[in-house]
Amino acid sequence: MKKILVSALSVIALAVLGTGCLKDKDFEDQRYGTVVGDARAVSFPQSRSANSITYGVVSSITSQDIQGPIIAIEGPTQSSDVNVTLQVNDALVTADPTLTVLPASEYTLDLTRTIPAGAVYDSAFMITLPNSSNLDPNLIYAIGLTIASADNGFSVASNMRNLVLKFTVKNKYDGVYTITGTYVDNSNANFSGRYPLEYRLVTTGPASVDVQLLVNGSWDPAYLFSNNGAGSFYGSYGLTMTFDPTTDDIIDLHNYYGDPSKAITAVGNPSLGSGAPNFASSNGRRAVLDPTGLNNWDGSGATPIITIKHFMLQPSVVPVGPRVELDEVWEYTGPRP
């Protein structure tokens, strides 16, 4: 048992800026690398605030279309079309060691764009991912794009020609959930539930997640409870789970810290675990489903709900039957930051 400090979750929302126009003061002041007057240019207006855009991609065998960036005219509108050529620029991605180039075999996009006569921007183009289940959810993928050229007398704004498109892979179960339910520790009457809790379900595969809670400032697989009102957690205990993607039933649940393939955290060291089939941690703690529960994810309502009953087993403390019994409802509240 460990003491904890739990802080509130903050969620940051990002917005994409709008397009440029004739009265763009930064453009007129030549901050974008072009000269005003007779010069006219095209640009990625999104690059004014940042050099990248991040997209959340659902891990799926079904093809997905993702709305990409727009391309805008910096200057007066035209009476005829302006054709723009893009090129993939891997160097923009490899310059950041946290990113992985999205393989060309994993997406398609149209590198030839047209800003119609009389318009100030081209409609956002589509990036198609035919089978995102091929992608590793532990990586951040990216496509680097550069505006190579434009016709009809237009140049390219040199400070707004590059953009990095980042892709994080998430399955449909991924997100932030509010947890309510009942908790009983059969070894100690002073231990009680600490509801409501906040869980983050973090994608580890097309239909699998790690279940994280905030413990001492770090989001890790863990389980929080109250010891006479004080916050505590079980050392070397937390959940990892897998769903049937067809039925959305939970088909596997075990202790993260019993799985030697998992990474060490402040809560415990999975390399000391027993591995399959019991996935017992170094202190003998196991996680198993209670077969009397619904144990599934339901996305049919206004917000997805996971209904689950599960046990923590620890024979050294409670020789027969579960040490902890949990009957819970996990309600989705939003995407994971």
Side-chain angles (χ1 to χ4, degrees):
M1 180 182 72
K2 308 289 179 70
K3 291 295 180 70
I4 62 168
L5 296 173
V6 180
S7 65
L9 170 69
S10 64
V11 179
I12 301 174
L14 300 178
V16 176
L17 294 180
T19 62
C21 65
L22 179 60
K23 299 300 183 182
D24 187 335
K25 185 177 185 299
D26 287 336
F27 183 80
E28 293 171 353
D29 289 344
Q30 302 179 31
R31 295 181 187 178
Y32 301 151
T34 60
V35 179
V36 178
D38 293 334
R40 299 164 296 173
V42 296
S43 70
F44 284 129
Q46 297 91 341
S47 65
R48 287 198 188 108
S49 58
N51 66 353
S52 65
I53 302 174
T54 300
Y55 304 93
V57 176
V58 176
S59 180
S60 173
I61 61 173
T62 302
S63 179
Q64 297 175 67
D65 288 333
I66 298 168
Q67 185 169 290
I70 62 173
I71 302 163
I73 285 177
E74 299 288 346
T77 57
Q78 281 294 109
S79 59
S80 56
D81 294 348
V82 178
N83 299 299
V84 180
T85 301
L86 308 178
Q87 62 182 200
V88 175
N89 187 346
D90 289 346
L92 297 175
V93 179
T94 57
D96 185 341
T98 68
L99 302 179
T100 298
V101 173
L102 182 64
S105 60
E106 299 298 336
Y107 70 93
T108 60
L109 61 85
D110 187 354
L111 295 175
T112 303
R113 309 302 306 164
T114 299
I115 302 174
V120 295
Y121 59 85
D122 178 28
S123 59
F125 56 86
M126 292 296 174
I127 305 159
T128 300
L129 280 66
N131 183 0
S132 58
S133 67
N134 294 327
L135 303 180
D136 185 344
N138 299 302
L139 300 177
I140 301 174
Y141 293 94
I143 302 171
L145 287 180
T146 294
I147 302 177
S149 63
D151 68 4
N152 208 0
F154 276 74
S155 60
V156 179
S158 61
N159 289 358
M160 299 175 67
R161 71 188 308 160
N162 296 321
L163 199 60
V164 176
L165 312 182
K166 300 178 182 179
F167 303 89
T168 58
V169 183
K170 298 180 180 182
N171 61 38
K172 67 180 180 180
Y173 312 106
D174 192 294
V176 179
Y177 291 74
T178 296
I179 314 306
T180 55
T182 60
Y183 157 102
V184 176
D185 187 315
N186 293 310
S187 72
N188 194 325
N190 292 323
F191 296 170
S192 60
R194 198 173 176 80
Y195 301 112
L197 291 169
E198 183 173 86
Y199 286 0
R200 288 183 179 180
L201 272 58
V202 178
T203 296
T204 57
S208 59
V209 294
D210 288 340
V211 182
Q212 297 183 347
L213 291 89
L214 188 61
V215 178
N216 291 332
S218 177
W219 287 94
D220 294 312
Y223 190 79
L224 310 180
F225 62 96
S226 291
N227 180 4
N228 279 328
S232 299
F233 67 96
Y234 294 110
S236 295
Y237 187 77
L239 302 179
T240 184
M241 58 202 305
T242 302
F243 297 84
D244 181 324
T246 302
T247 65
D248 295 322
D249 291 336
I250 302 170
I251 57 175
D252 177 75
L253 177 137
H254 61 261
N255 185 0
Y256 176 98
Y257 299 96
D259 187 345
S261 70
K262 298 293 188 177
I264 189 172
T265 77
V267 175
N269 185 353
S271 70
L272 304 177
S274 69
N278 291 329
F279 294 101
S281 62
S282 57
N283 54 17
R285 290 173 176 158
R286 295 173 53 202
V288 298
L289 286 171
D290 177 348
T292 67
L294 287 177
N295 301 327
N296 71 355
W297 179 92
D298 183 357
S300 63
T303 57
I305 297 288
I306 295 173
T307 305
I308 179 174
K309 295 177 72 174
H310 55 114
F311 301 135
M312 184 181 83
L313 307 181
Q314 192 174 13
S316 63
V317 178
V318 177
V320 179
R323 173 180 171 178
V324 179
E325 303 175 49
L326 302 112
D327 185 353
E328 297 177 326
V329 174
W330 305 0
E331 183 174 2
Y332 179 88
T333 58
R336 178 172 54 88

